[in-house]
């Protein structure tokens, strides 16, 4: 079975622009979570979705939003990009307790 | 509020050495603890998950333990190999939800 997939792999955007990142969970997994990882730090929780409903939100500004689709895939949107949004964005899916992560999307804001 | 700490931030060992990576957490009412491996610029690979009712889990050369009373988990790597070089992260959920709280990671380098 395929693992968690994310697209695109890399992305370069300019300050003020908007970006959409995509995630497809492992087949059968209904929960998707998003994390931001800046260099040298552990991932920070952004959102969790389960059955298309938001189940948790981390300490991120309203510029960050997400949604989950009927097929359980998910999108993370970030508006009005800042230089500090440059990071590796990770998506994780889970069936129960254990979370499985995708390869991430590297976002660079210039 | 759960906080997770990993010390040291970096560790270098010669090939073949047995080693222990440490993870500390503040909330002993822990549901589980998960260990991950991360290669540079890549996603996280789940290594082991220990439920709160368990004391340890083993997978190949890896053994993870959980001591809730002391707020500690350790990841033991036997007979280390250069291919084990990576950053190792531990994480615990904040409550019953899906939000994982991560440590800062320990960057392991195994020298041939």
């Amino acid at each position: 079975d395929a693992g968690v997939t994310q697209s695109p792999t890399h992305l370069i955007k300019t300050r003020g622009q908007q970006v959409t990142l995509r995630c497809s969970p492992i087949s059968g997994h209904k929960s998707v979570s998003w994390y931001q990882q800046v260099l040298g730090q552990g991932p920070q929780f952004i959102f969790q979705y389960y059955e298309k409903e938001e189940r948790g939100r981390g300490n991120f500004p309203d510029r960050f939003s997400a949604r989950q689709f009927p097929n359980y895939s998910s999108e993370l949107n970030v508006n009005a990009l800042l230089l500090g949004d440059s990071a590796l964005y990770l998506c994780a899916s889970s069936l129960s307790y254990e979370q499985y992560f995708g390869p991430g999307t590297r976002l660079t804001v210039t | 509020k759960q906080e997770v700490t990993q010390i040291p931030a970096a560790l270098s060992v010669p090939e073949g050495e047995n080693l222990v990576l440490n993870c500390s957490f503040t909330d002993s009412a822990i549901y589980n603890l998960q260990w991950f491996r991360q290669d540079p610029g890549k996603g996280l690979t789940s290594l082991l998950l220990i439920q709160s009712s368990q004391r340890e889990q083993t997978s190949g050369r890896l053994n993870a333990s959980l001591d809730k009373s002391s707020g500690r988990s350790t990841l033991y790597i036997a007979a280390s190999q250069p291919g084990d070089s990576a950053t190792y992260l531990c994480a615990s959920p904040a409550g019953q939800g899906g939000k994982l709280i991560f440590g800062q990671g320990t960057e392991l380098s195994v020298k041939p």
Side-chain angles (χ1 to χ4, degrees):
Chain A
D1 282 339
V4 178
T5 59
Q6 293 186 243
S7 63
T9 305
H10 295 90
L11 206 49
I12 298 175
K13 290 286 189 178
T14 303
R15 275 178 298 177
Q17 286 189 315
Q18 175 263 341
V19 69
T20 298
L21 311 180
R22 295 177 176 82
C23 171
S24 292
I26 293 171
S27 178
H29 288 194
K30 299 180 179 180
S31 175
V32 170
S33 299
W34 287 95
Y35 293 82
Q36 180 196 67
Q37 186 179 27
V38 299
L39 200 60
Q41 297 184 21
Q44 297 291 315
F45 174 78
I46 309 176
F47 285 110
Q48 184 202 13
Y49 276 78
Y50 179 78
E51 292 271 22
K52 297 175 288 178
E53 304 245 338
E54 183 182 302
R55 288 297 183 91
R57 172 186 284 256
N59 187 24
F60 281 80
D62 291 343
R63 301 184 294 108
F64 288 76
S65 64
R67 56 179 175 168
Q68 187 178 32
F69 299 98
N71 66 354
Y72 304 114
S73 67
S74 178
E75 285 183 351
L76 174 69
N77 295 283
V78 187
N79 293 322
L81 285 166
L82 304 174
L83 294 178
D85 295 331
S86 295
L88 181 67
Y89 289 84
L90 296 162
C91 172
S93 75
S94 64
L95 185 61
S96 180
Y97 297 112
E98 191 164 2
Q99 295 202 20
Y100 298 88
F101 282 76
T105 293
R106 170 71 62 187
L107 172 65
T108 301
V109 182
T110 62
Chain B
K1 176 187 172 187
Q2 182 71 281
E3 293 181 7
V4 180
T5 305
Q6 292 182 255
I7 296 173
L11 183 65
S12 181
V13 300
E15 182 177 3
E17 190 163 298
N18 301 326
L19 60 100
V20 173
L21 304 180
N22 296 301
C23 173
S24 300
F25 48 90
T26 54
D27 185 358
S28 61
I30 193 170
Y31 286 93
N32 60 64
L33 190 130
Q34 198 167 354
W35 281 93
F36 296 91
R37 169 187 172 135
Q38 185 174 33
D39 292 293
K42 305 295 185 183
L44 276 62
T45 300
S46 179
L47 297 173
L48 290 164
L49 177 118
I50 313 175
Q51 301 283 12
S52 61
S53 58
Q54 299 173 316
R55 291 192 61 85
E56 63 179 55
Q57 279 278 22
T58 298
S59 176
R61 295 183 293 110
L62 305 180
N63 176 275
S65 68
L66 178 64
D67 185 342
K68 292 190 292 181
S69 62
S70 67
R72 289 187 60 200
S73 176
T74 60
L75 180 66
Y76 174 84
I77 302 177
S80 59
Q81 304 170 359
D84 294 330
S85 298
T87 295
Y88 290 81
L89 295 140
C90 63
S92 174
Q96 289 181 294
K99 174 183 178 180
L100 285 180
I101 307 297
F102 282 85
Q104 306 92 319
T106 295
E107 185 178 358
L108 173 66
S109 176
V110 181
K111 303 294 187 184

